[in-house]
Amino acid sequence: MKEDPTESIERKAYEIYQKDGQDAVLDFAKKHGDEVGVTWGMCEPCESESPMLNGTCLVCGTPTWEKYES
């Protein structure tokens, strides 16, 4: 079965976070985010503007309220 591209990006962001931290995920999203539909929004747990994919923060994995409203 072929992996969902969204899950692939989320997994990659998690691996980057585990290895190199939050700043590395931000750099990854800035560099490759437009290719996969990453948006930016306020993440309460991160206390910063963070990359989001399908309503979930790519840094900490927390779903945003927007995810539940759509």
Side-chain angles (χ1 to χ4, degrees):
M1 179 185 285
K2 191 171 183 170
E3 184 176 36
D4 177 0
T6 299
E7 290 177 17
S8 176
I9 296 302
E10 290 170 345
R11 182 175 291 109
K12 179 70 175 167
Y14 178 77
E15 290 169 0
I16 291 169
Y17 180 79
Q18 292 297 311
K19 183 177 180 220
D20 298 315
Q22 181 177 6
D23 287 338
V25 176
L26 299 176
D27 290 342
F28 170 76
K30 288 174 186 173
K31 188 178 286 185
H32 302 288
D34 289 341
E35 301 167 13
V36 295
V38 169
T39 60
W40 292 79
M42 183 63 185
C43 176
E44 294 294 325
C46 291
E47 297 179 342
S48 67
E49 191 83 6
S50 296
M52 305 281 174
L53 187 60
N54 294 330
T56 300
C57 177
L58 287 177
V59 175
C60 71
T62 300
T64 63
W65 287 108
E66 289 84 16
K67 182 172 185 171
Y68 296 112
E69 290 173 355
S70 43

